[in-house]
Short mmCIF file of all heavy atoms in Angstrom, two decimals:
data_model
loop_
_atom_site.label_atom_id
_atom_site.label_comp_id
_atom_site.label_asym_id
_atom_site.label_seq_id
_atom_site.Cartn_x
_atom_site.Cartn_y
_atom_site.Cartn_z
N ASP A 173 63.76 47.07 17.49
CA ASP A 173 62.96 47.99 16.69
C ASP A 173 63.57 49.31 16.56
O ASP A 173 63.28 50.02 15.60
CB ASP A 173 61.58 48.14 17.53
CG ASP A 173 60.74 46.86 17.59
OD1 ASP A 173 60.93 45.99 16.63
OD2 ASP A 173 59.91 46.71 18.42
N GLU A 174 64.51 49.61 17.45
CA GLU A 174 65.17 50.93 17.31
C GLU A 174 66.25 50.89 16.20
O GLU A 174 66.69 51.94 15.70
CB GLU A 174 65.88 51.33 18.61
CG GLU A 174 64.89 51.62 19.74
CD GLU A 174 65.61 51.89 21.06
OE1 GLU A 174 66.88 51.82 21.09
OE2 GLU A 174 64.94 51.98 22.11
N MET A 175 66.62 49.71 15.79
CA MET A 175 67.65 49.49 14.75
C MET A 175 67.00 48.80 13.62
O MET A 175 66.91 47.67 13.56
CB MET A 175 68.79 48.67 15.30
CG MET A 175 69.57 49.35 16.43
SD MET A 175 70.43 50.84 15.81
CE MET A 175 71.16 51.39 17.40
N PRO A 176 66.45 49.52 12.64
CA PRO A 176 65.71 48.93 11.50
C PRO A 176 66.63 48.16 10.58
O PRO A 176 66.14 47.49 9.68
CB PRO A 176 65.04 50.14 10.81
CG PRO A 176 65.99 51.31 11.11
CD PRO A 176 66.43 51.06 12.47
N ASP A 177 68.03 48.24 10.62
CA ASP A 177 68.88 47.55 9.79
C ASP A 177 68.89 46.03 10.09
O ASP A 177 69.50 45.29 9.33
CB ASP A 177 70.24 48.11 9.84
CG ASP A 177 70.79 48.18 11.27
OD1 ASP A 177 70.12 47.73 12.19
OD2 ASP A 177 71.91 48.62 11.39
N GLY A 178 68.22 45.57 11.07
CA GLY A 178 68.22 44.09 11.47
C GLY A 178 69.48 43.53 11.96
O GLY A 178 69.66 42.38 11.92
N ARG A 179 70.37 44.43 12.56
CA ARG A 179 71.62 43.80 13.01
C ARG A 179 71.43 42.91 14.20
O ARG A 179 72.30 42.17 14.53
CB ARG A 179 72.57 45.00 13.39
CG ARG A 179 72.14 45.83 14.57
CD ARG A 179 73.08 46.95 14.94
NE ARG A 179 73.09 47.94 13.87
CZ ARG A 179 73.80 49.06 13.95
NH1 ARG A 179 74.66 49.25 15.02
NH2 ARG A 179 73.82 49.91 12.98
N PHE A 180 70.33 43.09 14.98
CA PHE A 180 70.09 42.32 16.17
C PHE A 180 69.13 41.04 15.85
O PHE A 180 68.71 40.45 16.79
CB PHE A 180 69.44 43.12 17.28
CG PHE A 180 70.32 44.36 17.68
CD1 PHE A 180 69.75 45.49 18.10
CD2 PHE A 180 71.79 44.30 17.58
CE1 PHE A 180 70.58 46.50 18.44
CE2 PHE A 180 72.56 45.34 17.93
CZ PHE A 180 71.99 46.53 18.36
N SER A 181 68.71 40.86 14.59
CA SER A 181 67.81 39.92 14.28
C SER A 181 68.27 38.51 14.63
O SER A 181 67.53 37.58 15.15
CB SER A 181 67.54 39.94 12.78
OG SER A 181 66.89 41.03 12.39
N PRO A 182 69.58 38.05 14.51
CA PRO A 182 69.97 36.75 14.92
C PRO A 182 69.74 36.45 16.43
O PRO A 182 69.48 35.35 16.79
CB PRO A 182 71.50 36.77 14.60
CG PRO A 182 71.65 37.71 13.44
CD PRO A 182 70.66 38.82 13.78
N LEU A 183 69.80 37.49 17.27
CA LEU A 183 69.53 37.30 18.64
C LEU A 183 68.09 37.25 18.90
O LEU A 183 67.57 36.41 19.66
CB LEU A 183 70.17 38.41 19.54
CG LEU A 183 71.69 38.56 19.48
CD1 LEU A 183 72.14 39.73 20.32
CD2 LEU A 183 72.35 37.30 19.97
N LEU A 184 67.31 38.11 18.22
CA LEU A 184 65.80 38.12 18.39
C LEU A 184 65.25 36.78 17.87
O LEU A 184 64.22 36.30 18.47
CB LEU A 184 65.23 39.35 17.63
CG LEU A 184 63.82 39.56 17.88
CD1 LEU A 184 63.57 39.89 19.33
CD2 LEU A 184 63.37 40.74 17.01
N ASP A 185 65.80 36.20 16.82
CA ASP A 185 65.25 35.02 16.36
C ASP A 185 65.32 33.75 17.31
O ASP A 185 64.54 32.87 17.17
CB ASP A 185 65.98 34.51 15.01
CG ASP A 185 65.67 35.53 13.91
OD1 ASP A 185 64.77 36.25 14.03
OD2 ASP A 185 66.45 35.59 12.93
N ILE A 186 66.26 33.88 18.28
CA ILE A 186 66.37 32.81 19.25
C ILE A 186 65.11 32.64 20.11
O ILE A 186 64.64 31.49 20.37
CB ILE A 186 67.59 33.07 20.26
CG1 ILE A 186 68.89 33.12 19.43
CG2 ILE A 186 67.70 32.05 21.30
CD1 ILE A 186 70.10 33.48 20.21
N LEU A 187 64.51 33.76 20.43
CA LEU A 187 63.25 33.77 21.28
C LEU A 187 62.02 34.07 20.56
O LEU A 187 61.02 34.12 21.26
CB LEU A 187 63.48 34.77 22.41
CG LEU A 187 64.68 34.64 23.41
CD1 LEU A 187 64.74 35.74 24.37
CD2 LEU A 187 64.54 33.25 24.12
#
Side-chain angles (χ1 to χ4, degrees):
D173 293 339
E174 296 177 2
M175 297 292 180
D177 55 359
R179 68 178 67 177
F180 304 146
S181 297
L183 297 179
L184 189 62
D185 292 342
I186 298 176
L187 300 176

